[in-house]
Structures are given as structure tokens and as C-alpha cells.
Amino acid sequence: MMIAHSYRNLDAEPGLAGMNTSTEALARVVADRLAERVHAGAVGDSARELDGLVVTLHESHVAWASYERPL
């Protein structure tokens, strides 16, 4: 799934303050936040049956990073 947002300096985002905002680190942040939502039931009951998830972020058509984590 692709979600388009406006460009901004992520180092200025309060929720990311003091973090490394590399693509690799951001893939982990997104995966962890999605996992929290799955555990809270915010993504629907069927999501509780998932064993894990993979988040892949693309910087360009040749540069990307993925993070895989269990649920």
C-alpha cells in the first residue's frame, strides 16, 4: 500500500525527536506503530491472526529499506 504525504523534515517531528531518521530506522518505526495498532485491535479482528509484518519504504526506484518483525 502506498500513502502519499507532503514532504517535510522528519527531524523536526516531535514523535521522532532525537532519532535517526534514515529509511531503515523509519521502516522500523512504521512497523512498530503498525504492530501496536494490530495488538490494540485497531486494524480489525482478522489482523490478530497475523504472525508478522514487513514494512518496505522506497526512497527512489533503486533505493529502499525493509523491516520485518513478528507480531
Side-chain angles (χ1 to χ4, degrees):
M1 170 173 35
M2 279 180 62
I3 300 173
H5 292 282
S6 61
Y7 292 100
R8 63 186 179 273
N9 182 351
L10 295 177
D11 294 325
E13 291 293 314
L16 302 174
M19 278 189 56
N20 172 0
T21 55
S22 66
T23 303
E24 295 85 351
L26 290 174
R28 181 177 184 164
V29 168
V30 171
D32 289 344
R33 290 182 183 182
L34 283 172
E36 289 171 7
R37 293 182 58 85
V38 168
H39 290 292
V43 199
D45 291 332
S46 61
R48 293 180 190 265
E49 298 176 24
L50 297 173
D51 294 328
L53 57 88
V54 177
V55 171
T56 302
L57 302 179
H58 292 261
E59 293 180 37
S60 71
H61 68 288
V62 295
W64 55 272
S66 287
Y67 183 80
E68 181 176 355
R69 61 157 290 155
L71 291 174

